[in-house]
Amino acid sequence: MPTKVLVTGGAGFIGSHTCVELLQHGYEVVVADDLSNSSPRALERAAGIARVGTPELCVIDIRDGAALSQVFADHRIDAVIHFAAKKAVGESVRLPIEYYDTNVGGTTALLSVMREHEVGRLVFSSSCSVYGSTTKVPLTESDPVSPTNPYASSKWMCEQILADTCRRLPSLQVLSLRYFNPVGAHPSGLLGENPHGVPGNLMPYVARVAAGQLERLSIFGDDYPTPDGTGVRDYVHVMDVAEGHRLALEHLQGERGMRTFNLGTGVGSSVLDLVAAFEAASGRRVPYRITGRRPGDVATLVADPTAVSRAWNWTTKRDLAAMCRDAWHFQTRDPARHAC
């Protein structure tokens, strides 16, 4: 019988791409999502790409323990991939209470329901942002963490909660994936990042500027200690991130406790590097202006992906040019019709 996986936040950007990956590898998928920044059409698109039936969508807030427990009771869940969270750094500085409530509260509610239903396998969507302001390049999983904003702090708190719970419940198996900056889209152009309202992440904002939907990009700071003064990040294709989550499920078998891995390419690109790559992929100009630094941002975050490569014999496959090409392909297919 195929493994039945609950994907929280599965209608969102990374979640929907992970659903494609799971469906194409024979998993049964159930999605729990409150649709606050996503659309059920993303799951329809995911099913179309995978050529299978659309995953069942349970429209709930996972902080609602009774509703979440009913999902487990109805579907006999075997494992969970937990994406559901608020994720914008700038917004988290403005709305810290909401971020802790959603991200930490959602995780504790999920753990309680998993324990209630004796489900012991969990892949947690963490973030490179937990490393915070650091001058070390690249970063390994053993490097110190120092979150600089409420979003990052909420992810670090969740990791601590998961580690403590694993010590209390020896049957619990957790893989926490600190992925760096997921961008791009499914190469079909049918699925990508199309948030409600003005995008809070760089790539969809750049795509909308290139398409003429937004006037210009604001680059927050050009005085960082980086080669061109703009922030440097390890951008990783969303399909590589999706594959990483599917492999994490496979590597939970037979393990106990909590393990943590970086998911990244090991290559840093500045904001201006990404703008230039997107202009090359789209053939469009991306006008921009330099503004002041944004609270909570850091200069450089680049992964050392050695640990996951050794453990799983796996590395990312797609470069920045492919990320920009796929994001532009999605943008040109009228994403308003298939918001994800």
Side-chain angles (χ1 to χ4, degrees):
M1 180 179 295
T3 299
K4 184 171 286 190
V5 182
L6 175 67
V7 182
T8 73
F13 173 46
I14 305 170
S16 60
H17 288 77
T18 300
C19 286
V20 171
E21 178 75 12
L22 294 173
L23 292 169
Q24 288 179 328
H25 284 82
Y27 289 88
E28 293 185 13
V29 176
V30 178
V31 170
D33 200 304
D34 67 0
L35 303 182
S36 60
N37 195 34
S38 59
S39 166
R41 286 174 291 182
L43 297 179
E44 297 169 7
R45 295 274 170 167
I49 293 167
R51 298 184 179 181
V52 298
T54 302
E56 181 167 346
L57 170 62
C58 305
V59 182
I60 64 167
D61 185 327
I62 65 166
R63 292 171 295 178
D64 183 342
L68 184 60
S69 182
Q70 192 61 52
V71 173
F72 277 74
D74 290 343
H75 296 283
R76 300 181 64 86
I77 301 299
D78 298 307
V80 180
I81 300 180
H82 179 32
F83 291 108
K86 292 182 177 292
K87 63 176 185 176
V89 168
E91 184 183 62
S92 78
V93 175
R94 298 193 307 272
L95 303 171
I97 296 173
E98 288 84 347
Y99 268 68
Y100 291 122
D101 184 29
T102 297
N103 296 2
V104 179
T107 300
T108 56
L110 175 62
L111 284 170
S112 294
V113 173
M114 288 178 63
R115 179 176 59 179
E116 175 190 348
H117 291 271
E118 299 182 341
V119 176
R121 289 186 285 161
L122 173 65
V123 179
F124 175 62
S125 167
S126 190
S127 169
C128 67
S129 65
V130 301
Y131 294 112
S133 185
T134 177
T135 58
K136 187 175 184 297
V137 179
L139 290 157
T140 70
E141 294 83 352
S142 61
D143 285 321
V145 301
S146 181
T148 61
N149 56 74
Y151 165 67
S153 294
S154 72
K155 288 295 186 179
W156 174 233
M157 288 179 184
C158 288
E159 286 197 11
Q160 293 176 295
I161 290 165
L162 290 167
D164 287 342
T165 305
C166 283
R167 284 188 283 270
R168 175 65 181 85
L169 301 175
S171 61
L172 184 61
Q173 305 161 280
V174 177
L175 267 168
S176 179
L177 302 182
R178 293 177 181 169
Y179 44 83
F180 279 59
N181 287 65
V183 295
H186 191 274
S188 67
L190 296 174
L191 200 60
E193 186 172 13
N194 190 34
H196 298 169
V198 177
N201 292 334
L202 179 60
M203 182 75 89
Y205 202 107
V206 168
R208 291 189 190 183
V209 172
Q213 296 176 3
L214 293 171
E215 180 181 3
R216 59 186 172 182
L217 172 70
S218 292
I219 296 178
F220 300 109
D222 65 349
D223 58 349
Y224 287 104
T226 63
D228 62 23
T230 65
V232 169
R233 298 291 183 269
D234 186 339
Y235 296 101
V236 55
H237 199 293
V238 66
M239 290 310 302
D240 284 325
V241 174
E243 183 180 59
H245 283 79
R246 191 258 304 170
L247 288 171
L249 275 183
E250 295 177 3
H251 286 88
L252 279 174
Q253 298 284 1
E255 297 287 343
R256 289 291 182 269
M258 176 172 163
R259 291 172 294 155
T260 301
F261 286 122
N262 290 336
L263 292 187
T265 66
V267 176
S269 302
S270 72
V271 176
L272 290 179
D273 288 335
L274 186 144
V275 168
F278 204 94
E279 288 181 334
S282 65
R284 304 285 187 90
R285 283 189 62 248
V286 178
Y288 65 84
R289 64 178 176 183
I290 304 295
T291 65
R293 293 188 185 188
R294 184 172 57 179
D297 276 346
V298 300
T300 303
L301 285 172
V302 178
D304 181 340
T306 302
V308 74
S309 176
R310 287 175 175 168
W312 301 350
N313 192 29
W314 174 80
T315 60
T316 59
K317 301 178 179 66
R318 301 158 179 92
D319 61 11
L320 185 61
M323 300 174 209
C324 293
R325 181 189 65 238
D326 291 341
W328 181 241
H329 189 198
F330 171 70
Q331 179 67 38
T332 57
R333 290 187 66 116
D334 186 16
R337 291 188 294 106
H338 48 276
C340 350

